[in-house]
């Protein structure tokens, strides 16, 4: 059996480009992104947090006032700015990679990583937070099943595909580091 590389010693020489994490809500992009950035010596940014700063309001309010199309337009502009600022690890919202222009920009200028997880793992994780606009007043299983069906073909265009499970996020980080090496 081949041994797995010690990911603590894996080096990634592509730090001239940002690494953008894509995938469904609840998959752990922000937590994994922070850990990955630390391992790579890059800064980390969560695009949803940056959107809230730029808009001066929480995402739920952006959705309420401007709808999903208004949110997606702001999201596209914020992600373009983050990419232009230089190399970092960027965690995106679950729908960011679905936008044709955002996806094209990420694919041209960054390394994209699709973090995937089983539906039950996603449901367990999203149930921990109540600030997800697409889930308000809805059954998370139904919403996530529908979103996965629509979004998976887009996520599949990412450069790298890793699976997250109910175990520690460090396992997913190690998978990403191995794929980047």
């Amino acid at each position: 059996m081949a041994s797995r590389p010690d990911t603590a010693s894996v080096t990634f020489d592509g730090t001239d480009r940002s690494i953008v994490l894509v995938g469904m809500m609840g998959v752990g992009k922000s937590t994994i992104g922070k850990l990955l950035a630390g391992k790579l010596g890059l800064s980390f940014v969560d695009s949803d947090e940056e959107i809230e700063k730029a808009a001066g309001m929480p995402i739920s309010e952006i959705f309420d006032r401007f709808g999903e199309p208004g949110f997606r337009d702001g999201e596209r502009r914020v992600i373009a700015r983050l990419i232009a600022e230089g190399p970092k690890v960027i965690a995106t919202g679950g729908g960011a990679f679905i936008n044709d222009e955002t996806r094209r920009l990420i694919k041209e200028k960054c390394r994209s990583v699709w973090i995937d997880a089983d539906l039950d793992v996603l449901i367990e994780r999203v149930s921990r937070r109540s600030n997800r606009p697409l889930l308000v007043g809805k059954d998370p299983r139904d919403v996530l099943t529908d979103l996965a069906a629509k979004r998976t073909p887009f996520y599949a265009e990412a450069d790298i595909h890793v699976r997250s499970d109910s175990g520690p996020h460090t396992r997913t980080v190690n998978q990403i580091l191995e794929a980047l090496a």
Side-chain angles (χ1 to χ4, degrees), residues 8-50:
S9 65
V10 170
T11 58
F12 169 60
D13 61 3
T15 54
D16 59 327
R17 297 192 296 168
S18 288
I19 299 165
V20 179
L21 307 181
V22 302
M24 293 287 289
M25 69 174 88
V27 81
K29 297 180 297 284
S30 294
T31 304
I32 290 165
K34 290 173 190 168
L35 295 168
L36 180 64
K39 292 273 190 181
L40 294 172
L42 294 172
S43 61
F44 168 79
V45 66
D46 182 306
S47 67
D48 283 350
E49 291 176 6
E50 293 298 312

Side-chain angles (χ1 to χ4, degrees), residues 105-123:
L105 180 66
I106 291 169
K107 289 178 67 61
E108 285 176 5
K109 300 192 179 270
C110 307
R111 294 289 305 270
S112 54
V113 179
W114 172 24
I115 304 172
D116 194 9
D118 291 332
L119 183 61
D120 289 332
V121 171
L122 295 176
I123 292 167

Side-chain angles (χ1 to χ4, degrees), residues 21 32 36 113 115 162 172-181:
L21 307 181
I32 290 165
L36 180 64
V113 179
I115 304 172
V162 298
T172 306
V173 171
N174 289 340
Q175 289 178 59
I176 295 168
L177 288 169
E178 289 175 16
L180 290 170

